[in-house]
Structures are given as C-alpha cells and as structure tokens.
Amino acid sequence: MSDHRPEHQGYVVAVDQGTTSTRCILFDHAGRLVAVAQREHRQHYPRPGWVEHDAAEIWRNVARLVPQAMAQVEATPADVVAVGITNQRETVVAWDRRTGDPVGPAVVWQDTRTADLVEELSDAAGGADRFTDVCGLPLTTYFSGPRLGWMLRADAGLRRRAEAGEVLFGTMDSWLVWNLTGGPDGGRHVTDVTNASRTMLMDLTTLDYSPQMLEVFGVPRRCLPRIVPSSQVYGRARAVVPGAVIGAALGDQQAALFGQTCFSPGDAKCTYGTGSFLLMNTGAEITRSSHGLLTTVAHQVAGEPPVYALEGSIAVTGALVQWLRDNLGLISTAPEVETLARTVPDNGGCYFVPAFSGLFAPHWRAEARGLLIGLTGYVTKGHIARAALESTAWQTREVVEAMDADSGLRLSSLRVDGGMTSNNLLMQTVADVLDAPVVRPMVSETVSLGAAYSAGLAVGFWPDREALRRRWHRAGQWTPAMGPESRDRGWEDWQEAVRRTFGWIRH
C-alpha cells in the first residue's frame, strides 16, 4: 500500500498506552509533533505485590483521546494516513470473544503474583536460564507468559473457556488493535513480534509460538494472537478513526529505539526515567547474552527479516532523585539535584549504589541493598547529590560494557531520551564515564515517534528508513571531557562499591 502525499497533507496518529496513562500524539510528514492529548488511568493494588488495570477503562480513554488530539489540528479521519500503537510491555488482558468485555483485570508487568510459579519452574535443571535458548529471557515475574499460566491455573472456568476458544488473551497492543478493527465484529487478534518476544512463549528463531513453552506454562494456542511484523498494515479501523489504517505496534522500549532511528547494528539508546532501559540494535543475528542482558526483537518491517536487540534495565535512576527529595528532603524539586551537585567539583570520594530492591542488569542480585560509601567529615549534601547522579552514569556503563562484550560491537555514541535528559550535568557525566558522545534529539517523545515512524513506513507515508533518519535532529550533545586516569579510577571504585552491596539480605 503506498500513499505518498505532499508535506502538508495528512498525519500519523500514535497511541502510547503506558503504565500510568495513555497518550495520543499526532505527527506530520516532517516528523513534528503537532497535537497531544493525555489521560491517566487508575492503578489497582488488591493485595501486596499485585498490580492491576481496568482494560475497559483504558480502551474508553483511547476512544476519547484520539478525537481530542485530532480536534486540536481540525483533522478528520480522512486526514489520518496511519495509526501506530506502542504499549506498556508484559501487561496481560483476557477478554470474551463474543462480547468484547474483559473477563478480569489486566495483570500489570510490575505484578509479582507469579513468584511461586517462577520459583517452581526455576527449581528444575538449568535454573532461571533454562529457556533462554528458546525465548532469550530468564524466568522472572517480569514477563507475560508466566502471568498467562497463573491466570489459567487460578481459574478452571477460564481455562475451559480458553481451550474452547471463547476467551482471547493478549498484551495491550492486541487489546487495542482488536477493538479498533471491530472488536466482537471481526476484530483482528494479532500481536507484534516485539511484544511477543516479551512473553517467553515465542521462539526467537521462528518468530512463532514455541510448542515447548506453551506446554510449560499450560497456555492453549487458540486463545493467543497471531504474531505479525511490527510495521505492517493490520487492517482498517472501524472504531474511533473509521477507515484509518492500523499500521504498526511495538513495545514501548523498542518503539523508542525505532524513534531514535537506531537502525544499524551497534546503535543504542537509553531512556532515562524512574528506572532506565538501554537497548542496542544487534542486527539480523540473535545475540545470546552471557552478561545478564535480555535478547529481544527490536522490530520487523513487513517482508523483511527481524532485527534483534540486547536490552539492559536499571531499576533505580530517576527514582533515586525522588528519594533524595521525598525521603531525605535534600532537595524540594527534582531539577534542584543538579544545582546542588554543582556546588562541589567532584563526589568527595563517596559512591551511592541505589540497590533499593536489588540490582537489575547486568548483576541480577535480588538480595543486594543500597549503599552509600566513602563518607568522611568532608562530605556535604552536595557530594551526596553528585554521587547520586554519578550512580546513574556508572550503572549505564555497566550495561554498555555487558552489551559490548555480548555483541562484539563497540558503542560509538548513545542516544538518550526521557525526563532525566534535561539534567545537563548527568548527561555530561554519562559521556565522561562511557568515553563516548551522548546525543539528545529534538523530539523527546521518542516512544510515540517510533510508533508513528513504523506506521508511516507501512503505508509509504515515509518511503524508507533513510527518510526517517533525515528527520531525526539533534537538540543537544555532550562529548567526553574526563581524563582516562580519573575514569579508570572511578570505575574501579564504583565496581568495588557494587560488590559490597551483595549478600545483604540473607535467607
């Protein structure tokens, strides 16, 4: 399908269905953000460790937000060349095929109710990594396959209905595409390869469900969505934007990688938020990690082989700044951390490892706890603020070193997005400790932009990836300014500080 239009005609609609809110953003042919509408949804915590959403509420929000955003530029459905969807990953919803109603709450990616199931499966030979050869993922509560397995174990009636094909399962991309394309009246039940690669149910090589993994989690294949490329025409909308082409779906972090135009092997981006996610494009080859990273699908354009990525997640980055503000009262607003850190020229010899709930990539040490070390009478709150910012930079380096070792690629520069990128001292520190340039784009909404780019590509609104690269513009760049001796000494001190967090919680 091709739809080459003059520059001023038409918009791509990106629906970003996130963990706390849903946003609808319109982009024009130049890749400029021209309209945005946003709405939060309720978080439900019925028991300790349980996190749920109301999928019907989320769908109602999408149905309101898209027309609101379109109204800002007086766009009609005829002006929408394509719709792209990006979503919170690993959150699972089950719904009735006939009525379209959810059969229970959506179980959110943060939810840990599957801990016993994960532990039971991890006790077998091979431990938590026993399935990584198939799906690229370790056994943890993070992924959606164990969630589906738990739901089917917990409710015998749901299992019977799933086996009979009366109930459909999917991640949020599937739920939205199904509803947009007709719901009970002919809705398309699909999921894209990036979301499927986070279920533990997909074989990374075949890009289809693994019979072994379906059996392990006890999930009937007939209730699952068909796995399709991330950039492809899925069908036309019958609701919200009637007639508009649904052209893409990607998990949020993969969408950010696409929006940052990281299309070549070795290209990497880091999204700095409450926690941080670093993804590196590893090309058409599957790169297995021996350094604590996840192997995942970066994207797939229809008719082309998939592109893979390595992913490293850091649990606490922006959350540490919030902790300094809310728990210690060192600052009254998050941006003040930079001002406070700039009152001193260095960290005064102190290091802050924010292992508040263990350490994520590349260590995966659940028993580690936070540590502030190197304290002397000389240290002030300015030094602590600086050490807190430096912890985000050193944690970034840990993940980058693991990626370089796994992929054999050398990071040449890091593209960044997310709220923390407004902190210039932090970005300079990241460039210093990585010894590589750090680059921030003009459009900070890279998740939505990735969904829009992918959808526009599917309908020929943009002809190819090179056209997308030309639309990516740099807003800021930080180049390394630290000497090698200081960098090496700081890196050694950081690694020693991290080692001292291990083994704090003893069972």
Side-chain angles (χ1 to χ4, degrees):
M1 180 172 182
S2 183
D3 193 359
H4 292 283
R5 294 173 177 236
E7 188 113 344
H8 63 282
Q9 278 194 346
Y11 303 103
V12 179
V13 170
V15 175
D16 177 0
Q17 202 298 291
T19 306
T20 58
S21 69
T22 303
R23 284 189 298 176
C24 173
I25 299 183
L26 268 64
F27 293 94
D28 66 11
H29 194 268
R32 290 182 299 240
L33 187 157
V34 296
V36 59
Q38 181 167 349
R39 191 181 186 99
E40 291 189 355
H41 53 266
R42 285 187 60 198
Q43 308 292 311
H44 301 271
Y45 306 100
R47 297 188 199 176
W50 289 33
V51 189
E52 297 176 346
H53 291 159
D54 177 354
E57 178 192 4
I58 287 171
W59 167 241
R60 286 195 301 272
N61 287 349
V62 170
R64 289 183 187 132
L65 290 168
V66 175
Q68 280 176 21
M70 289 169 59
Q72 292 171 23
V73 288
E74 299 180 355
T76 68
D79 297 315
V80 176
V81 296
V83 177
I85 291 165
T86 179
N87 58 292
Q88 50 166 325
R89 304 176 301 176
E90 300 101 13
T91 294
V92 170
V93 60
W95 67 94
D96 186 300
R97 180 197 290 270
R98 189 177 53 81
T99 65
D101 296 328
V103 297
V107 184
V108 180
W109 61 272
Q110 300 152 316
D111 187 286
T112 57
R113 73 184 66 181
T114 56
D116 289 345
L117 172 59
V118 164
E119 189 174 340
E120 172 194 321
L121 291 169
S122 300
D123 283 343
D129 290 328
R130 58 187 284 211
F131 303 122
T132 52
D133 283 353
V134 180
C135 63
L137 308 173
L139 273 163
T140 78
T141 59
Y142 188 14
F143 303 114
S144 37
R147 237 167 240 126
L148 288 176
W150 183 93
M151 291 162 81
L152 291 163
R153 278 188 178 196
D155 186 340
L158 181 64
R159 172 170 292 285
R160 279 196 303 274
R161 295 178 69 196
E163 288 170 347
E166 296 169 10
V167 171
L168 302 177
F169 285 93
T171 40
M172 298 310 287
D173 58 314
S174 298
W175 169 242
L176 296 183
V177 171
W178 189 80
N179 277 293
L180 282 166
T181 55
D185 186 16
R188 306 287 171 90
H189 191 213
V190 296
T191 188
D192 98 289
V193 284
T194 68
N195 280 292
S197 75
R198 315 296 293 190
T199 60
M200 298 195 77
L201 302 177
M202 188 186 84
D203 185 314
L204 273 180
T205 308
T206 64
L207 302 188
D208 197 2
Y209 294 111
S210 157
Q212 175 196 4
M213 299 311 297
L214 293 178
E215 188 177 338
V216 164
F217 292 113
V219 178
R221 188 184 180 116
R222 68 183 302 186
C223 67
L224 294 173
R226 186 165 54 90
I227 300 172
V228 294
S230 27
S231 176
Q232 176 179 297
V233 174
Y234 301 152
R236 288 190 180 270
R238 297 174 65 179
V240 186
V241 265
V245 170
I246 313 297
L250 300 100
D252 53 10
Q253 297 308 321
Q254 286 95 333
L257 191 71
F258 204 89
Q260 288 275 29
T261 65
C262 292
F263 300 141
S264 302
D267 287 353
K269 71 89 197 173
C270 190
T271 300
Y272 287 100
T274 306
S276 293
F277 292 89
L278 208 157
L279 273 74
M280 176 187 273
N281 180 326
T282 57
E285 298 297 313
I286 297 173
T287 302
R288 308 286 179 183
S289 177
S290 55
H291 295 82
L293 304 176
L294 307 176
T295 305
T296 197
V297 179
H299 67 267
Q300 185 185 22
V301 173
E304 297 182 10
V307 174
Y308 294 94
L310 285 169
E311 176 175 326
S313 48
I314 306 167
V316 177
T317 51
L320 180 55
V321 176
Q322 294 166 345
W323 185 82
L324 293 179
R325 180 193 66 198
D326 300 339
N327 292 38
L328 294 193
L330 286 189
I331 50 176
S332 55
T333 65
E336 282 177 35
V337 74
E338 180 175 5
T339 310
L340 182 57
R342 286 189 184 276
T343 61
V344 293
D346 53 41
N347 64 17
C350 74
Y351 290 81
F352 201 149
V353 186
F356 291 166
S357 52
L359 289 168
F360 282 14
H363 307 288
W364 298 107
R365 301 289 295 245
E367 88 296 348
R369 285 299 176 268
L371 172 150
L372 182 58
I373 199 165
L375 298 180
T376 63
Y378 169 73
V379 168
T380 65
K381 59 184 180 181
H383 295 107
I384 292 171
R386 199 169 189 107
L389 291 182
E390 288 178 358
S391 76
T392 290
W394 291 121
Q395 288 181 102
T396 303
R397 176 161 170 181
E398 287 182 324
V399 174
V400 168
E401 296 259 336
M403 284 184 172
D404 286 352
D406 278 332
S407 67
L409 301 166
R410 172 83 180 97
L411 181 85
S412 55
S413 70
L414 182 65
R415 296 192 166 186
V416 297
D417 50 68
M420 291 186 85
T421 60
S422 60
N423 187 314
N424 288 297
L425 178 59
L426 172 61
M427 293 298 102
Q428 181 60 53
T429 308
V430 172
D432 286 342
V433 305
L434 292 183
D435 194 23
V438 168
V439 190
R440 186 178 66 201
M442 290 286 281
V443 178
S444 59
E445 304 290 347
T446 54
V447 172
S448 297
L449 187 60
Y453 277 172
S454 194
L457 208 57
V459 298
F461 189 54
W462 294 295
D464 51 33
R465 291 179 185 80
E466 200 45 53
L468 300 179
R469 274 201 179 100
R470 288 196 297 273
R471 280 164 177 75
W472 188 96
H473 299 294
R474 184 175 72 196
Q477 176 164 319
W478 295 265
T479 52
M482 181 185 276
E485 285 179 16
S486 299
R487 182 183 303 112
D488 293 346
R489 187 170 63 250
W491 177 231
E492 285 174 18
D493 289 348
W494 169 260
Q495 290 176 296
E496 179 57 33
V498 169
R499 277 192 290 273
R500 291 176 185 233
T501 70
F502 296 165
W504 184 256
I505 302 293
R506 290 176 289 280
H507 293 293

